[in-house]
């Protein structure tokens, strides 16, 4: 049925391979066919190539004419290793299985960055309204299975999302609880990274630590848990904002961010974001939004293909 809907038009395969789930879709230009979107649990997938073939067969679709695949891990030379799963993904291997079509691999948060301009107002939840609402730079931040951020630049009609692995940088100093937690993490790992708190596994560890440290008989443990996550996310967002100056807006995504969204405005997130000494007033220029659309990375992959990159161009190195 899906193949019939495309007729003779060119179409492409896009995929978003996260740490927990993989999503597939078919596109025409930069438009996702909403009826083609499917989600699979990675734990149920033996390998990516077989999953792609099963997906196309289920869609009753012939081989697509090009593909863009977003991967939750670093990408180099059109090859990626999934950070939280033992998958080695090679663009050429996928291409060979699909009849030699161009296949591009990009980091999954790069894909989110490319997809930002495809979001509508009702795809976003405002968290902080800044005084400056225009600019050709944006910032996408993911706190989900892992943590990462990318700066997005709009240059000469094209969107450029620079790859990053900032979740593995050093955890910033914080209040007394964060410093105690930092010492706990360093005693176990020898190094405390951002992802040790702001990720799925990090949030579980913070929850366990607060229950052991606080009196679980009252609300103290829950309040401390949310405050640590919110204040740490606010501090990281502040530092990334001062690094990239995203006057076009800051966009948060990921399960951890969505999970604590209702707590952000009264758990210290905004206060931590604005806490920049003599630059505190400067920080009030930047708007912060929570992304509610879980197809944004698929849309970003379609944008990459729509920018008409020449065959063989390594998107990850190009940006």
């Amino acid at each position: 049925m899906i193949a019939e809907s495309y007729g003779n038009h060119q179409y492409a395969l896009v995929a978003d391979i996260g740490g927990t789930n993989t999503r597939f879709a078919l596109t025409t230009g930069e438009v996702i066919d909403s009826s083609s979107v499917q989600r699979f649990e990675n734990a149920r997938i033996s390998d990516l190539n077989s999953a792609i073939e099963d997906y196309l067969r289920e869609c009753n679709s012939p081989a697509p004419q090009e593909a863009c695949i977003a991967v939750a891990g670093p990408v180099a030379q059109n090859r990626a290793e999934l950070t939280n799963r033992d998958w080695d993904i090679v663009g050429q291997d996928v291409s060979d299985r699909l009849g030699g079509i161009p296949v591009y691999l990009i980091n999954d948060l790069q894909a989110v960055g490319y997809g930002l301009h495809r979001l509508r107002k009702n795809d976003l939840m405002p968290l902080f309204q800044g005084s400056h609402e225009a600019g050709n730079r944006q910032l996408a931040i993911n706190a989900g299975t892992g943590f990462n951020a990318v700066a997005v630049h709009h240059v000469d009609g094209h969107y450029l999302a620079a790859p990053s692995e900032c979740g593995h940088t050093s955890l910033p100093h914080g209040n007394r609880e964060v410093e105690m937690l930092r010492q706990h993490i360093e005693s176990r790992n020898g190094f405390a990274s951002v992802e040790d708190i702001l990720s799925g596994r990090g949030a579980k560890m913070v929850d366990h630590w607060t229950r052991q440290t606080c009196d679980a008989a009252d609300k103290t443990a829950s309040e401390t848990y949310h405050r640590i996550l919110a204040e740490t996310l606010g501090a990281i967002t502040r530092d990334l904002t001062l690094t990239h100056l995203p006057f076009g807006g800051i966009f948060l995504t990921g399960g951890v961010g969505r999970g604590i969204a209702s707590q952000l405005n009264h758990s210290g997130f905004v206060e931590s974001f604005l806490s920049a000494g003599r630059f505190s007033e400067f920080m009030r220029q930047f708007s912060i939004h929570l992304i509610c659309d879980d197809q944004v990375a698929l849309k970003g992959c379609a944008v990459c293909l729509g920018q008409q990159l020449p065959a063989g161009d390594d998107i990850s190195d190009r940006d």
Side-chain angles (χ1 to χ4, degrees):
M1 181 174 66
I2 290 176
E4 293 175 0
S5 71
Y6 281 94
N8 295 321
H9 296 291
Q10 280 198 331
Y11 67 99
L13 170 73
V14 292
D16 172 22
I17 306 175
T20 305
N21 298 300
T22 290
R23 292 178 174 83
F24 294 115
L26 297 172
T27 74
T28 300
E30 293 186 12
V31 180
I32 298 287
D33 180 348
S34 58
S35 68
S36 73
V37 178
Q38 292 191 33
R39 181 179 66 86
F40 302 87
E41 294 182 20
N42 289 350
R44 298 176 179 271
I45 299 175
S46 58
D47 66 89
L48 178 62
N49 287 326
S50 297
I52 290 175
E53 291 173 352
D54 290 345
Y55 166 74
L56 293 174
R57 189 181 306 112
E58 190 171 327
C59 288
N60 190 29
S61 171
Q65 290 150 313
E66 57 184 350
C68 184
I69 299 173
V71 183
V75 178
Q77 303 301 315
N78 217 26
R79 183 171 188 153
E81 184 174 338
L82 199 63
T83 302
N84 296 288
R85 186 166 290 274
D86 186 23
W87 286 5
D88 189 20
I89 302 170
V90 181
Q92 187 60 54
D93 290 348
V94 179
S95 173
D96 292 343
R97 292 283 287 266
L98 293 176
I101 66 171
V103 173
Y104 307 104
L105 303 185
I106 62 174
N107 176 265
D108 62 336
L109 200 56
Q110 274 185 283
V112 170
Y114 282 120
L116 290 181
H117 81 285
R118 301 291 298 174
L119 296 174
R120 301 163 298 179
K121 187 174 182 179
N122 60 359
D123 294 326
L124 300 168
M125 175 191 297
L127 297 176
F128 180 76
Q129 184 61 53
S131 60
H132 194 109
E133 303 226 37
N136 61 2
R137 289 186 303 277
Q138 298 170 307
L139 181 65
I141 299 176
N142 175 74
T145 303
F147 182 93
N148 202 5
V150 300
V152 184
H153 303 263
H154 188 200
V155 181
D156 296 331
H158 283 73
Y159 293 89
L160 303 176
S164 166
E165 287 296 333
C166 67
H168 304 292
T169 59
S170 180
L171 183 69
H173 291 279
N175 61 25
R176 184 178 64 87
E177 287 100 346
V178 172
E179 289 306 302
M180 291 172 59
L181 185 54
R182 169 197 285 279
Q183 293 175 16
H184 173 70
I185 295 169
E186 289 178 344
S187 69
R188 295 175 56 190
N189 304 336
F191 177 78
S193 73
V194 172
E195 198 165 280
D196 285 325
I197 290 182
L198 295 177
S199 68
R201 64 176 177 82
K204 289 180 181 178
M205 185 276 297
V206 174
D207 181 56
H208 179 72
W209 182 82
T210 53
R211 290 178 187 278
Q212 286 188 322
T213 305
C214 303
D215 182 3
D218 57 28
K219 294 184 178 180
T220 304
S222 177
E223 291 172 353
T224 301
Y225 166 78
H226 284 101
R227 185 170 64 251
I228 287 173
L229 293 184
E231 289 184 358
T232 302
L233 182 57
I236 295 295
T237 303
R238 176 200 62 213
D239 291 351
L240 290 168
T241 297
L242 287 169
T243 300
H244 297 289
L245 300 181
F247 289 108
I250 302 160
F251 300 84
L252 303 181
T253 187
V256 174
R258 287 193 292 269
I260 64 172
S262 62
Q263 306 287 329
L264 287 180
N265 286 331
H266 57 268
S267 292
F269 170 77
V270 173
E271 290 82 355
S272 186
F273 173 74
L274 296 176
S275 179
R278 63 189 180 89
F279 266 70
S280 294
E281 191 62 30
F282 179 81
M283 300 301 297
R284 294 186 177 277
Q285 298 178 86
F286 302 96
S287 293
I288 308 174
H289 312 271
L290 182 72
I291 299 174
C292 303
D293 182 359
D294 63 3
Q295 295 180 19
V296 61
L298 293 175
K299 294 175 180 178
C301 287
V303 170
C304 281
L305 295 174
Q307 291 192 148
Q308 299 180 345
L309 294 171
D313 190 6
D314 189 330
I315 297 175
S316 62
D317 290 343
R318 179 178 185 272
D319 294 343

